[in-house]
Amino acid sequence: MTGSLTELSFTVSGRIARPRAEVYEAVADPAQLSRYFTTGGAQGRLEPGAQVTWDFHDFPGAFPVTVAEADPPHRIVIEWDGEATTGDGGNTRVVFEFESIDDDTRTLVTITETSWQPTPEGARAAFGNCEGWTGMLAALKIWLEHGINLREGFYK
């Protein structure tokens, strides 16, 4: 007998040809994050207990992101508002994990987001965010390896 589905979640990952500390810093540092991901800018470093703001051209209007955990250069956990969520206060939870591979010449970045209701609305929100985090990983890779902002002009 199988259990019932109580929550939707997803995991995406990618490998970046840079040391783990450098990749971690590109996510934690708002100046770097603003160069390749938060097309409207990021304010505040991703460190424990911080509340920062992110803005995107594709979803205009800065919104708050709460840093639940940060363990440089291993892990960052954030929470932010979502639609059709199961989390307390209407939040989803995003976990970034950074793993050194190939003698720390490359980094495996894994992003897991949880806390959507198993409903059509929850599925739409989860699929949209899954697309966003996949794009973020591609943009992070091309930014760190080649200095190119993949998202420039993509949304606006």
Side-chain angles (χ1 to χ4, degrees):
M1 182 165 127
T2 60
S4 62
L5 183 62
T6 60
E7 178 180 89
L8 301 178
S9 64
F10 64 82
T11 299
V12 295
S13 61
R15 289 153 186 82
I16 298 170
R18 289 290 182 269
R20 176 171 58 181
E22 184 178 338
V23 177
Y24 180 97
E25 190 60 23
V27 175
D29 175 20
Q32 290 189 63
L33 197 66
S34 297
R35 296 293 308 270
Y36 69 88
F37 181 54
T38 52
T39 51
Q43 302 294 321
R45 182 173 176 79
L46 297 182
E47 54 192 13
Q51 176 138 358
V52 304
T53 57
W54 288 356
D55 197 353
F56 298 92
H57 287 317
D58 48 331
F59 293 102
F63 60 91
V65 174
T66 301
V67 183
E69 180 184 331
D71 178 20
H74 308 281
R75 178 179 163 100
I76 299 171
V77 179
I78 63 170
E79 294 178 348
W80 59 359
D81 286 341
E83 296 180 11
T85 66
T86 61
D88 294 338
N91 291 332
T92 67
R93 186 173 182 87
V94 183
V95 178
F96 299 84
E97 295 176 294
F98 304 86
E99 179 185 338
S100 294
I101 53 178
D102 299 333
D103 294 323
D104 201 32
T105 59
R106 297 193 317 145
T107 302
L108 173 62
V109 181
T110 302
I111 302 172
T112 301
E113 190 163 6
T114 59
S115 305
W116 286 280
Q117 298 170 7
T119 63
E121 296 81 15
R124 273 192 295 280
F127 291 150
N129 282 18
C130 185
E131 176 187 1
W133 290 123
T134 301
M136 184 268 199
L137 283 175
L140 174 62
K141 180 176 179 66
I142 196 121
W143 170 252
L144 284 178
E145 293 181 11
H146 303 285
I148 296 168
N149 181 348
L150 188 63
R151 294 170 65 94
E152 186 174 334
F154 194 80
Y155 295 103
K156 186 175 176 183

